[in-house]
Amino acid sequence: LAKTTQPISMDSYEGQEVNITCSHNNIATNDYITWYQQFPSQGPRFIIQGYKTKVTNEVASLFIPADRKSSTLSLPRVSLSDTAVYYCLVGDLKNSGYALNFGKGTSLLVTP
Amino acid sequence: DTEVTQTPKHLVMGMTNKKSLKCEQHMGHRAMYWYKQKAKKPPELMFVYSYEKLSINESVPSRFSPECPNSSLLNLHLHALQPEDSALYLCASGPNGYTEAFFGQGTRLTVV
């Protein structure tokens, strides 16, 4: 079962900054936080990953507070093509291995 | 190169057929995954291979049989499937199973 909680949906206008927050209260010491983007009928696409503080790449920033119980994905100046489902993942260590389970994700709609 | 290749892209099979889905990666990743995704739902983890050994089976019915012939290949053998098994089947690979995973574009399976 997923260890994360996100808003079901968000709306934004083109050109705005979008922040999607994910709650992961039971995150373990060794867990990383990873965000994916998925368009219909396509495989999820890796966006960004972090362990603590702030991570930035060419498409997004990830903010992680010191307690690591939540994280925020920031998408600067979204466009219509950013309309997609965004998933936050935290691994689940089991006896036999490490599972990457998806939660319900956030459906982002960007309009003109 | 973060490419995971899945074949075929589409597959239609009868309930008495035997078929296989294939997945290939050449990134030297040591973890490989199978997921199943129904329409408008998040991907569901099925199997995890770590260093070519099956580490996680998420209580998947035996009509789905995974195989990892070598570190670059992952197969999913299908036998006696039901119409409700129709879904997008996604393969992913990751460097170590603890951090990010990269997904293929999936195989759209229809069971008739």
Side-chain angles (χ1 to χ4, degrees):
Chain A
L1 295 176
K3 295 161 57 174
T4 59
T5 304
Q6 304 172 232
I8 295 295
S9 63
M10 295 183 68
D11 295 332
S12 178
Y13 293 109
E14 272 190 299
Q16 290 190 327
E17 178 183 74
V18 170
N19 295 309
I20 307 174
T21 296
C22 178
S23 172
H24 28 81
N25 291 318
N26 296 318
I27 190 168
T29 303
N30 294 332
D31 290 341
Y32 283 77
I33 300 151
T34 312
W35 285 80
Y36 294 87
Q37 174 194 57
Q38 189 178 28
F39 300 111
S41 296
Q42 293 187 24
R45 182 177 76 99
F46 170 80
I47 301 174
I48 197 165
Q49 181 180 79
Y51 183 79
K52 61 181 179 181
T53 63
K54 176 184 174 182
V55 181
T56 297
N57 63 21
E58 62 275 10
V59 298
S61 295
L62 179 59
F63 300 90
I64 305 168
D67 67 4
R68 302 199 332 119
K69 293 184 183 300
S70 67
S71 59
T72 299
L73 175 72
S74 181
L75 304 172
R77 297 180 299 282
V78 294
S79 64
L80 299 178
S81 62
D82 292 317
T83 293
V85 180
Y86 292 82
Y87 294 100
C88 159
L89 268 71
V90 172
D92 186 10
L93 183 61
K94 302 187 171 185
N95 288 337
S96 56
Y98 203 72
L100 296 177
N101 290 306
F102 283 76
K104 294 185 172 140
T106 298
S107 180
L108 173 65
L109 176 62
V110 180
T111 54
Chain B
D1 180 11
T2 56
E3 186 170 346
V4 176
T5 303
Q6 290 188 244
T7 55
K9 288 186 169 44
H10 300 274
L11 178 62
V12 179
M13 63 184 289
M15 290 187 284
T16 58
N17 291 160
K18 287 185 180 181
K19 296 286 185 184
S20 297
L21 308 185
K22 297 187 184 302
C23 175
E24 190 168 3
Q25 58 90 10
H26 294 289
M27 296 174 279
H29 288 171
R30 308 317 303 236
M32 296 187 78
Y33 311 79
W34 281 114
Y35 288 82
K36 172 184 176 180
Q37 187 174 27
K38 303 281 274 184
K40 299 190 183 302
K41 298 290 187 182
E44 294 177 34
L45 183 64
M46 300 174 72
F47 302 104
V48 180
Y49 273 82
S50 178
Y51 290 85
E52 301 169 47
K53 293 192 188 311
L54 182 64
S55 61
I56 293 178
N57 175 342
E58 293 284 46
S59 303
V60 179
S62 60
R63 58 186 184 269
F64 296 92
S65 176
E67 178 197 20
C68 189
N70 61 55
S71 60
S72 300
L73 295 174
L74 187 65
N75 298 323
L76 186 63
H77 303 297
L78 314 172
H79 174 54
L81 295 194
Q82 303 296 309
E84 57 265 30
D85 295 321
S86 298
L88 181 67
Y89 287 84
L90 295 161
C91 173
S93 72
N96 51 34
Y98 286 83
T99 56
E100 73 276 22
F102 298 93
F103 285 79
Q105 289 305 293
T107 293
R108 173 69 61 189
L109 174 67
T110 303
V111 182
V112 297

